Amino acid sequence: MSQKVAVLGTGKIGEALLSGMIRGGWTPADLLVTARRPERAEELRARHGVTPVTNTEAARSADTLILTVKPQDMGTLLDELAPHVPADRLVISGAAGIPTSFFEERLASGTPVVRVMTNTPALVDEAMSVISAGTHASAEHLAHAEEIFGAVGKTLRVPESQQDACTALSGSGPAYFFYLVEAMTDAGILLGLPRDKAHELIVQSAIGAAVMLRDSGEPPVKLRENVTSPAGTTINAIRELENHGVRAALIAALEAARDRSRELASGNN
């Protein structure tokens, strides 16, 4: 890859993205990083061969800027970058809840902005990254964002109006699964299993179920029915889940996550 890409505010997700890009063919010399702590920047240089720079240097020299700082820090970062970002730079935001208009209002007129919501499975190259175009982003800009984030998993284009819903579903989604596995592990211990064996049973069941969902083409209700025999163990468990309102609780939880994403967009930190 001949273009220079800079990752600003390189935390765990930013580092996973860098690592995936290098495996995908980017030359480390073409990858720039910024970090709040100098020792973190040097750690990234030693581990990946990338070049640590200041935010200003990144803005001046990179063709693509990927902003991975926390939403509450984005305004301060843009104030620093704005005088140095030419209008032909592609700016990719990875901050939850912040619309592309927030960037377009603070950067040079016509700056292309792409909004991406990825998730922590980027650390194992199984991310789900949702991509939306700002006012000035072209199909070529979207394709470039897909090329970058495709290095750590799957990508999906959606209208920006759907980003808050995607944040609730996939951005926060891994945490819901970890929460359920935690609860099921505790249940396994209550039923008499050692923790390590309960964990192994649940994790492999989750992997197998996910692969079936991905590859079978069947809707989840059909796959569930295939496991649910009349008067069997599964239907008794499902009855208890329904009695305790688990389905309604999940819907309410995702609505709460969506609403929080909207609050972040409005500046309510």
Side-chain angles (χ1 to χ4, degrees), residues 3-8 26 58-67 78 81 84-93 100 103-104 107-108 110-116 131-149:
Q3 286 199 340
K4 284 192 177 294
V5 176
V7 180
L8 284 70
W26 271 264
R60 288 173 174 166
S61 58
D63 301 290
T64 300
L65 303 174
I66 305 175
L67 312 185
L78 289 175
L81 295 178
H84 310 289
V85 179
D88 63 349
R89 293 286 191 271
L90 172 59
V91 175
I92 299 176
S93 166
T100 55
F103 300 86
E104 293 166 348
L107 298 172
T111 300
V113 180
V114 172
R115 179 176 170 182
V116 179
I131 298 175
S132 301
T135 304
H136 309 293
S138 66
E140 183 179 355
H141 294 129
L142 286 172
H144 186 49
E146 287 174 331
E147 185 179 27
I148 291 171
F149 283 85

Side-chain angles (χ1 to χ4, degrees), residues 13-37:
I13 294 293
E15 184 175 3
L17 188 58
L18 285 171
S19 179
M21 291 171 69
I22 291 169
R23 291 192 301 275
W26 271 264
T27 302
D30 288 334
L31 299 177
L32 312 178
V33 296
T34 77
R36 181 172 295 180
R37 295 179 293 105

